[in-house]
Amino acid sequence: MVVVGGAIPALLMAGIAGGGCTDDVYTYSCDDDIPPMIDDKPCRDAGPAADACDGADDCNDAGTGGGGAGTGGGEEEGGGDGIGGGLSSLCVGQCVPAEPPGWFEPMLLWMGPPDSAPDCPATAPVPGFELHADLVVEPYRCAACACDPPDASCEVPAAWSAVDSSTCPAGPGAQRTPFAAPEAWDGTCTTANAIPAGQACAGGPCTQSLDIPAPRVRPGACAPSVVAEPGEEPGEPQGSFRWATFARACAGVTPPAPCGGPGMRCSPAPPEGDAAPPEGFLTCILHHEGEHECPPTYPSRRVVYEGAEDSRGCTACTCGEPSGGACSVLASAFSDEACSVFVVGALVTSEAPFCGAIAPGTALGSKSAAVVDLEPGSCAPGGGEPIGDVAPRGAVTFCCLDRQPQPPEPPRLWNPELG
């Protein structure tokens, strides 16, 4: 099994889980008529009366002092509640719906051909997930199976016999005299069961013709092998897979800032202007464990994957029983005991036995046999069939806005005369 894909980057996980940028941002109000503001230090100059509050002792956290009503119409006791939607201008990115519980905060997502993927934009520079979609699997082709010739041998015939009839084949009343070779005979000269000259049988001399059975092919097992195509290594299966779509997620370093309501949050990359992300990026939230339905605020669903598991393979090559073997034996009979005085010889094949007439009463003193041809036959190959599949793994669900949000409203200027 082959596993392809990467793990979730620790940098992105740490940044998202921690809420993005770690700089603390606070809301402050002064005892004088300077309006509340958001900053990373107390009592920053905020208007024509800046010198009225220039020390840390003159400031109180917003909402805890007795400041006047805020610019957004808040009540007097909690002056910080009056910030309202005007402070959306403090979001240097874009104001988008907040993520539901269990989802990671909004980030930018690009999806497209792998060779066209852009880098993360400057406003969302933290590389996050690099994932994939649209798995394309090429047909898996196994190497063809073959079988080597069987390890066969030719068994020379041993059950020779003399017949008291010159007719071949002899009739049912003919008498046979054994002229057999020893068991497991290898064909070397032997005098076993010699028949002397003139031996008489019921029909006359016992040796008037000679019967020799057909040799037999002893089949052996076939060894399986694979056939190499031109330009390929033997046994290497063919069939790759690839991802047609690449997905890149980019996280920002946007400081926390109010966006006009409890259901909104500030996310990286404004939708237009010099800091806008390149074309093709979407604002999305994500759930990194499995496939999930999207919330209504982020309705456009995209499921991507960390990688794929390739469990494909080929069944083992096998070979059937051997068949089609044949062999030929040169069989010879002699009248003496040293296989030197020739009587009769024949080429006997495994397809048919031999029967031949000899001079009546001839002595059969010895015999020999030699294999002259062997066709071992063949075995039918089996196996070599593709099995398994390629399956995506590590599903990640992105839910995106149908369209990019509009830029935040321009900041509302504070007028000390109007309050």
Side-chain angles (χ1 to χ4, degrees), residues 69-158:
T71 59
E75 296 180 358
E76 182 174 352
E77 182 176 355
D81 294 336
I83 294 173
L87 286 180
S88 64
S89 61
L90 295 177
C91 175
V92 297
Q94 53 184 339
C95 291
V96 296
E99 69 279 3
W103 294 77
F104 286 110
E105 67 183 49
M107 62 183 63
L108 298 183
L109 173 68
W110 183 93
M111 293 182 66
D115 56 357
S116 302
D119 294 332
C120 287
T123 49
V126 182
F129 299 90
E130 291 189 349
L131 304 166
H132 315 275
D134 301 324
L135 183 62
V136 178
V137 181
E138 302 293 337
Y140 198 76
R141 182 168 57 88
C142 296
C145 290
C147 291
D148 296 337
D151 185 18
S153 61
C154 184
E155 182 180 82
V156 297

Side-chain angles (χ1 to χ4, degrees), residues 214-215 325-327 348-353:
C327 65
V348 187
T349 70
S350 55
E351 298 176 356

